[in-house]
Amino acid sequence: MRYIRLLGLLASFLGWNSFAGAAEPLPLPTGPVLLTISGRIDRTNAGQEARFDREMLEALGAASITTFSIMSATRQFFEGVPLRSALERVGASGTSIVASALNSYKITIPLEDLKYEPIIAMRVDGQVLKLRDKGPLWIVYPRDEHPALQTPIYDARWIWQLNKLRVE
């Protein structure tokens, strides 16, 4: 019994538990769809796409970043889910994602950016992001933690009003 508990603790520590959830079938959204992921993915729930409502996104785990952005003169507290978790949940395999916004803005983000642990923010300073505040979803990088992220190249990857990711 002690061996089983130790194995469970080790699995938790190594993050093996998250892989079990990634292999489960993707449920259908019950609320408004906030994010659609397509392209080189293994798990879908609507034809060749994976559609997520707020509840499904929140089930991917919580992450937060406190940082400056080019949009604000003060540090902001962003809360959401790890971008990595969303991609793992759909079984993404590729080298980049094309992120699209509600206003048709698109930017290619190399998957190597996952080393910075960007998040899909759903709240800023405790408030749910609304369309008028660049919501409902916003890709956010930990800009203050890495000088390399404080450049126009990475500023352009802070895509607000995010609604689609296509894995390439």
Side-chain angles (χ1 to χ4, degrees):
M1 185 65 136
R2 184 174 179 207
Y3 174 74
I4 292 171
R5 270 205 311 251
L6 285 173
L7 189 57
L9 286 172
L10 179 63
S12 254
F13 177 73
L14 294 176
W16 292 347
N17 292 352
S18 64
F19 294 117
E24 292 176 9
L26 195 61
L28 292 172
T30 57
V33 173
L34 300 182
L35 180 65
T36 301
I37 305 177
S38 62
R40 297 180 59 184
I41 61 175
D42 292 334
R43 281 175 292 290
T44 62
N45 60 6
Q48 299 298 310
E49 300 176 335
R51 296 180 183 168
F52 290 83
D53 61 17
R54 182 172 300 279
E55 185 177 316
M56 292 169 67
L57 286 170
E58 289 175 346
L60 297 174
S64 62
I65 296 172
T66 300
T67 192
F68 281 98
S69 74
I70 61 166
M71 304 302 294
S72 174
T74 61
R75 292 180 69 166
Q76 294 178 294
F77 179 62
F78 296 92
E79 299 171 272
V81 301
L83 176 58
R84 176 186 309 277
S85 295
L87 296 172
E88 286 175 353
R89 181 65 178 97
V90 298
S93 62
T95 58
S96 64
I97 54 175
V98 177
S100 302
L102 292 169
N103 67 359
S104 300
Y105 175 79
K106 292 181 182 182
I107 189 81
T108 299
I109 299 173
L111 287 181
E112 66 189 30
D113 277 14
L114 294 178
K115 69 184 174 192
Y116 296 116
E117 300 298 334
I119 67 170
I120 300 171
M122 295 187 282
R123 287 177 211 75
V124 64
D125 295 330
Q127 301 297 312
V128 171
L129 283 167
K130 296 183 176 90
L131 198 55
R132 69 175 181 264
D133 347 284
K134 306 196 179 354
L137 304 176
W138 190 355
I139 292 181
V140 174
Y141 285 78
R143 195 172 193 269
D144 292 1
E145 293 177 25
H146 305 279
L149 297 177
Q150 299 168 17
T151 65
I153 289 171
Y154 287 98
D155 291 339
R157 295 178 187 168
W158 280 57
I159 181 170
W160 59 80
Q161 295 181 340
L162 174 72
N163 68 337
K164 293 180 184 172
L165 297 173
R166 188 179 74 242
V167 181
E168 298 185 331

